[in-house]
Amino acid sequence: MRTFLQAALQILSEAGQPLSSDEITHRAIRQGLLETSGATPIRSMNARLHHEIASKGTASRIAQVGPNLFALIDQASQIEQ
């Protein structure tokens, strides 16, 4: 099993486009990348993504590109062009 962040990085890489934390979580669980017994895995994913961005700043591998919409940094730069 992967951590929430590892699962998100893989899902976003495979998707090649921004996704919501809801969609990232659903895909990770369906693909067996993430297993959780918590009642709110989407909220956990959202919190982990926000923590990555806030704690790492410009070194973050993930960017928030819209309300509840996340992308890998290289994807985010393509969106902004």
Side-chain angles (χ1 to χ4, degrees):
M1 281 306 114
R2 290 170 171 74
T3 66
F4 278 88
L5 181 59
Q6 291 168 334
L9 291 168
Q10 182 170 336
I11 294 296
L12 287 169
S13 178
E14 291 170 357
Q17 64 183 20
L19 296 172
S20 68
S21 57
D22 299 29
E23 185 62 23
I24 294 167
T25 306
H26 290 302
R27 289 185 186 195
I29 291 171
R30 273 196 313 265
Q31 292 180 26
L33 300 175
L34 189 61
E35 192 174 290
T36 179
S37 59
T40 58
I42 293 169
R43 289 178 72 181
S44 297
M45 177 64 77
N46 195 45
R48 188 60 190 100
L49 295 173
H50 281 289
H51 181 268
E52 167 76 6
I53 294 165
S55 68
K56 298 220 175 143
T58 58
S60 175
R61 296 167 282 180
I62 296 174
Q64 185 169 1
V65 296
N68 193 35
L69 198 60
F70 299 90
L72 296 177
I73 288 295
D74 60 332
Q75 296 168 350
S77 63
Q78 293 170 1
I79 293 166
E80 295 170 358
Q81 294 176 357

